[in-house]
Amino acid sequence: MKPEIGQIYEGKITSITNFGAFVTLPDGPDGMVHISEVSDGFVKDIHDVLEVGQTVKVKVITIADNGKIALSIKKAQDKPQRPERKDFKPQGQRPGNGAPRGSKKPQEFKTAPPTQIITSDGIWEETVSSDPNFEDMMSKFKKSSQDRMSDLKRGNESRGYSRRGHGGGRK
């Protein structure tokens, strides 16, 4: 009997390697179950899951031109159905799905709570933004970044350090 792709057979494991197990199918042909096709979960050591002489159900995945047969144990098993979720909504009823592209409402930003920022003078400022847009956020970031960089430069110059390990500009 010649095995057919997609059919499920019962076979016996004849040998096991680090990368898979060889299974003898009914009427003699051998196939290989790769370690990734043994279980739905991660299999670190195939010897922990399978043993020589064990009978397993396998599904024929492919048959190569040279006669090599690829098998799968995990595809031969019936998968249990997931319990239905109570909060599940069909695709058309979920917000943002099922509607034609471009018909979404523009994204609304929530106003940020007041934040405190320390300035280069060491003074705390409290900022409240009712409509944070990108340009405002970017200008605030640039200003605070420039302030921090100038503080760092001033601090390094006063200590006499440079990036090259020489005195900070003193000759």
Side-chain angles (χ1 to χ4, degrees), residues 95-106:
N97 287 342
R101 289 184 180 222
S103 66
K104 286 185 178 180
K105 292 181 182 178

Side-chain angles (χ1 to χ4, degrees), residues 112-119 122-130 140:
T115 57
Q116 292 182 336
I117 300 172
I118 190 164
T119 63
I123 301 170
W124 287 91
E125 290 181 359
E126 192 168 303
T127 60
V128 179
S129 177
S130 60
K140 286 178 185 177

Side-chain angles (χ1 to χ4, degrees), residues 8-68:
I8 296 176
Y9 299 97
E10 200 164 287
K12 188 172 271 196
I13 298 175
T14 56
S15 65
I16 298 176
T17 64
N18 289 335
F19 57 86
F22 290 92
V23 177
T24 300
L25 298 174
D27 296 333
D30 286 343
M32 191 196 78
V33 178
H34 189 265
I35 192 168
S36 63
E37 293 294 329
V38 172
S39 172
D40 283 326
F42 176 74
V43 177
K44 184 174 182 176
D45 185 5
I46 195 167
H47 295 91
D48 294 340
V49 181
L50 302 175
E51 56 188 45
V52 175
Q54 180 180 356
T55 302
V56 290
K57 282 187 174 182
V58 291
K59 183 175 185 175
V60 178
I61 302 173
T62 60
I63 301 174
D65 293 335
N66 60 4
K68 291 184 178 180

Side-chain angles (χ1 to χ4, degrees), residues 111-167:
T111 57
T115 57
Q116 292 182 336
I117 300 172
I118 190 164
T119 63
S120 59
D121 303 343
I123 301 170
W124 287 91
E125 290 181 359
E126 192 168 303
T127 60
V128 179
S129 177
S130 60
D131 184 23
N133 61 20
F134 181 76
E135 289 79 18
D136 291 341
M137 290 189 297
M138 189 56 122
S139 64
K140 286 178 185 177
F141 171 77
K142 284 181 179 178
K143 183 181 180 325
S144 66
S145 178
Q146 288 171 348
D147 291 345
R148 281 189 240 130
M149 288 303 292
S150 64
D151 288 346
L152 287 172
K153 287 179 183 176
R154 263 188 264 128
N156 284 341
E157 289 171 3
S158 65
R159 290 189 206 118
Y161 295 116
S162 75
R163 295 181 115 182
R164 296 189 179 160
H166 306 294

